[in-house]
Amino acid sequence: MDNMLQFMKLIGQLKRVPRTGWVYRNVKQPESVSDHMYRMSMMALTIEDRNLNKDRCMKLALVHDMAECIVGDIAPADNISKPEKHRREKEAMEHLTGLLSDGLRKEIYDLWNEYETQSSPEAKLVKELDQLEMILQAHEYEQLEGTPGRLEEFFTSTRGRFHHPEVLRLVESLNDERARHMGKGEAEQPAAAATQEKTDTSTNTPSSSS
């Protein structure tokens, strides 16, 4: 039981590990790794594809970033090679699952390895959900900040990575909403500028004087 308590304390660290990509882009109050994994799990729960094992998809979503409670969220900008990243995460997963009973140890480690190797249809879907959740979060940050388009690089990085019909529909809806949001933002900026120019003219004060 002491080992199980230690395991729960370790994975609890995921609530305090911020997603590195948002930190590097100066997002205020960035989400945690566990925030990301929770919405991915909800995405998996709502998948209606009967050719996939929904329960397995949810488990993969819950496990796929578990090692980050020890190694942190390693981002491409950290300049750590994929083999080294995998080595660190594998070592962390061996430590984490080593705290569990044999049955749980094998189940959780095998789920993580399945995701890492993308060796099943379920793992491939969850990888798409990982990317979808990321761009949905990027869109929400742009909305919260009032900075449409600021996080475009996240959207660019996912082009061509979505294939599952249900995921594609969600991506299309997201892109449509984002396009409307960006169009509204572009329309508001000239209006604000015109208002400022009118105010400056009426007071005979150049807008650049401040």
Side-chain angles (χ1 to χ4, degrees), residues 13 38 79 129 163 188:
Q13 294 290 339
Y38 173 75
N79 293 319
L129 297 182
H163 306 285
E188 286 174 346

Side-chain angles (χ1 to χ4, degrees), residues 12-156:
Q13 294 290 339
L14 293 169
K15 296 191 289 183
R16 294 177 285 281
V17 177
R19 293 265 283 166
T20 306
W22 310 131
V23 174
Y24 287 168
R25 273 70 177 186
N26 298 314
V27 170
K28 293 181 180 179
Q29 297 180 325
E31 66 168 344
S32 69
V33 173
S34 65
D35 293 331
H36 167 66
M37 292 167 68
Y38 173 75
R39 184 154 61 180
M40 277 182 63
S41 300
M42 291 302 299
M43 288 176 171
L45 176 61
T46 60
I47 288 292
E48 297 181 358
D49 187 343
R50 295 186 179 181
N51 294 316
L52 295 172
N53 184 325
K54 182 185 293 191
D55 288 346
R56 191 166 195 82
C57 290
M58 293 169 63
K59 288 179 179 180
L60 285 164
L62 287 170
V63 165
H64 82 289
D65 278 343
M66 185 181 290
E68 293 180 9
C69 70
I70 293 175
V71 303
D73 183 19
I74 300 171
D78 293 323
N79 293 319
I80 294 173
S81 69
K82 287 185 178 181
E84 174 60 16
K85 178 178 184 290
H86 178 77
R87 185 197 68 77
R88 293 184 189 185
E89 292 180 347
K90 181 176 183 292
E91 187 177 274
M93 286 303 296
E94 288 172 347
H95 175 70
L96 284 165
T97 57
L99 297 168
L100 303 172
S101 63
D102 289 345
L104 279 173
R105 176 188 302 132
K106 178 173 172 50
E107 179 184 12
I108 292 177
Y109 185 86
D110 286 353
L111 282 166
W112 174 80
N113 192 57
E114 180 181 332
Y115 180 82
E116 283 289 295
T117 58
Q118 290 289 281
S119 58
S120 69
E122 287 80 7
K124 288 179 170 62
L125 170 68
V126 174
K127 183 64 177 178
E128 291 190 36
L129 297 182
D130 178 65
Q131 299 290 299
L132 171 60
E133 204 288 322
M134 178 184 72
I135 60 173
L136 175 54
Q137 186 62 68
H139 172 55
E140 290 172 340
Y141 284 142
E142 289 180 340
Q143 287 183 305
L144 287 167
E145 295 175 348
T147 55
R150 182 172 88 84
L151 300 172
E152 176 63 31
E153 64 191 286
F154 291 91
F155 294 86
T156 301

